[in-house]
Amino acid sequence: MNERILISGASIAGLTLAHWLARHGFKPTVVERAPMLRGGGNGVDVRDNAVEVVERMGIMPRIRELAADVQGMKFVDAADRAVARIDIQDPASVEVMRGDLVALLHEATDVEILFGDSIVGLEQDDDGVTVTFDHAPVRRFELVVGADGMHSNVRRLAFGPEEQFIQFKDHYFAFANTDASLGEDRWVTMFNTPGKMTGIYRSGAHSQAKAYFMFRSAPLEYDRRNVAAHKQLISDVFGDDTSWQTKKLLHAALADPDFYFDALGQVQMDSWSNGRIALVGDAAWCASPASGAGAELALVGAYRLAGELAAASGDHRIAFARYDIAHRPLVDKKQQIGPNVRLMVPKTEGGRCVRDVVARSPLMKALSALERRMQARNARPLPEYVR
Ligand SMILES: Cc1cc2nc3c(=O)[nH]c(=O)nc-3n(C[C@H](O)[C@H](O)[C@H](O)COP(=O)(O)OP(=O)(O)OC[C@H]3O[C@@H](n4cnc5c(N)ncnc54)[C@H](O)[C@@H]3O)c2cc1C
């Protein structure tokens, strides 16, 4: 029942889903709009249940070898003096560059991948879904899963325009490659002016560094696919800023062809499926980069979706309902990003002072250690799904 499954998107969620579906005996095909795997991005955390997923896939030793080895976040003043440091090292978590994780998931997943193509039409009936592609001939699948990110194409085709589902979280952000000498090795360095943050991500295991920009704003009108327009926006907001290293970071970012810009947004949906079509990863529940949980949610959600399909012998009605029930509590928890955003981008100068005092406080260290201990105590292993 329901053997042939099309997945849109060859990133963390799509490749993990394809791997586990194939292991459970289904026949997944992946379609990816980009002509090859999309690398890039900063470090992403593989933590808690997500560690079990990659351990069971056999790629945890490689992930540990490639770990970004970042010790924590530090907040600096205009003279580049650290005013507060937060150690984020956690034995239950490994931070790895997004591109390295995607490459490892791809190596572990032996399925058909159609690169450089995209779904343009989905028509479902009682037995399956007729899929029209931009390039490939029309094909029939029994199920279709959108793993194609926050601006999901499958979600638009099967559920409706994205404006219904994406909640804007009052900020925009950008990432770009920059000169590694600007940041301290193994630290994420952040500098704030009211409502703005510039930063440098400096992994201990990679030679390059990433520049961060984030700013608070009302919704802006711009072309989401036009990188030149994105660069102009960042330039408008940070161009006059002469404090700290902002000018150098901006200069590098504007010259970078891999410059990445988006609104800080979250996807909120009452249901992640519509008949034979389901969603996983950022397409279903994007919690935003401010959650620090995009990879964790994608790995665990994809593992559960494949597992529930196996446990229900391919019956999508049962499986999609159980997947929703099992995974939604973690999504709801990780979508609580308010404290992270206030930490990274205080609205006012007073807010920044309070943040620095709190970040320096031993009480904060004790509370976060306590939270980690509680999480470890409450952790439940993921089910070993069988078909
Ligand atoms: C290039 C890139 C850089 C990123 N950098 C960061 C970062 O630095 N920090 C961070 O927290 N998060 C980053 N993210 C997001 C992060 O990967 C996700 O939050 C999270 O890991 C969940 O992954 P996902 O597989 O659900 O979605 P994504 O990783 O967003 O992957 C979606 C995939 O779908 C593909 N796709 C999109 N549209 C179509 C279509 N029409 N047809 C077929 N395929 C399509 C995309 O090319 C992409 O491969 C980045 C994502 C990308 C794509």
Side-chain angles (χ1 to χ4, degrees):
M1 189 183 196
N2 292 337
E3 295 298 310
R4 287 168 303 155
I5 303 175
L6 177 67
I7 301 163
S8 173
S11 180
I12 299 172
L15 292 170
T16 307
L17 180 66
H19 172 101
W20 285 101
L21 286 174
R23 271 196 36 189
H24 291 307
F26 295 96
K27 293 190 180 63
T29 294
V30 180
V31 56
E32 164 60 50
R33 186 175 58 191
M36 60 186 82
L37 279 190
R38 288 184 73 186
N42 294 310
V44 293
D45 286 322
V46 177
R47 73 162 79 78
D48 300 331
N49 282 149
V51 172
E52 283 172 88
V53 174
V54 291
E55 266 170 357
R56 292 176 194 182
M57 291 172 79
I59 59 173
M60 193 58 195
R62 290 286 292 135
I63 290 180
R64 286 204 192 280
E65 275 171 31
L66 295 173
D69 193 23
V70 168
Q71 193 168 336
M73 284 188 280
K74 70 169 183 169
F75 304 108
V76 294
D77 64 15
D80 203 32
R81 286 179 300 240
V83 287
R85 289 182 189 257
I86 301 179
D87 195 319
I88 52 171
Q89 286 211 318
D90 176 358
S93 161
V94 185
E95 185 164 343
V96 63
M97 299 307 275
R98 178 193 166 277
D100 288 342
L101 178 60
V102 170
L104 290 176
L105 292 168
H106 180 240
E107 272 169 40
T109 305
D110 186 15
V111 304
E112 179 191 21
I113 304 186
L114 310 172
F115 281 107
D117 212 342
S118 176
I119 300 170
V120 293
L122 292 169
E123 265 182 57
Q124 51 175 322
D125 52 50
D126 290 349
D127 306 317
V129 189
T130 302
V131 181
T132 316
F133 295 95
D134 207 4
H135 300 296
V138 173
R139 271 168 80 170
R140 285 281 287 175
F141 293 88
E142 273 104 38
L143 302 174
V144 174
V145 182
D148 40 8
M150 172 158 131
H151 301 289
S152 167
N153 178 45
V154 169
R155 192 183 58 226
R156 181 177 54 78
L157 292 170
F159 297 80
E162 68 176 36
E163 292 71 28
Q164 294 176 37
F165 306 111
I166 297 183
Q167 278 187 11
F168 175 56
K169 294 290 175 187
D170 304 318
H171 291 77
Y172 291 87
F173 67 92
F175 303 132
N177 292 305
T178 193
D179 177 0
S181 69
L182 298 177
E184 185 184 350
D185 210 18
R186 303 184 64 219
W187 286 87
V188 181
T189 306
M190 297 189 199
F191 172 75
N192 295 101
T193 51
K196 291 196 223 173
M197 182 269 281
T198 39
I200 307 169
Y201 179 98
R202 187 78 176 84
S203 145
H206 298 77
S207 52
Q208 357 77 304
K210 302 279 179 184
Y212 280 108
F213 299 86
M214 196 162 158
F215 63 95
R216 196 176 165 79
S217 169
L220 300 170
E221 291 285 330
Y222 64 97
D223 178 353
R224 204 171 52 71
R225 292 189 179 276
N226 182 346
V227 178
H230 304 164
K231 287 185 174 176
Q232 186 58 51
L233 271 172
I234 287 291
S235 188
D236 290 347
V237 174
F238 291 94
D240 292 335
D241 204 333
T242 52
S243 42
W244 190 54
Q245 319 242 33
T246 303
K247 262 211 158 3
K248 288 182 189 157
L249 292 174
L250 185 62
H251 185 70
L254 296 181
D256 181 10
D258 288 334
F259 181 89
Y260 182 92
F261 174 89
D262 209 338
L264 195 75
Q266 288 193 330
V267 174
Q268 305 274 358
M269 302 185 78
D270 294 337
S271 169
W272 298 325
S273 61
N274 175 3
R276 293 179 167 274
I277 301 167
L279 300 171
V280 68
D282 278 9
W285 54 67
C286 177
S288 88
S291 71
E296 176 190 358
L297 289 171
L299 288 163
V300 176
Y303 174 87
R304 285 193 187 276
L305 175 55
E308 294 296 352
L309 277 164
S313 303
D315 186 328
H316 62 283
R317 283 157 302 197
I318 298 174
F320 290 169
R322 287 185 181 157
Y323 152 65
D324 199 311
I325 291 168
H327 195 52
R328 201 170 277 273
L330 186 63
V331 169
D332 290 345
K333 184 170 159 203
K334 299 294 179 178
Q335 284 192 334
Q336 307 302 314
I337 58 167
N340 292 0
V341 173
R342 287 193 289 278
L343 190 78
M344 290 190 289
V345 192
K347 251 193 271 185
T348 61
E349 190 54 22
R352 186 191 62 75
C353 294
V354 173
R355 188 274 317 270
D356 290 347
V357 170
V358 172
R360 278 195 296 265
S361 143
L363 184 65
M364 165 134 171
K365 290 197 177 85
L367 282 175
S368 64
L370 181 68
E371 193 191 340
R372 278 182 217 155
R373 274 207 301 280
M374 296 291 285
Q375 266 170 4
R377 188 176 301 161
N378 295 334
R380 297 275 170 275
L382 285 171
E384 297 265 10
Y385 294 101
V386 282
R387 198 167 175 184

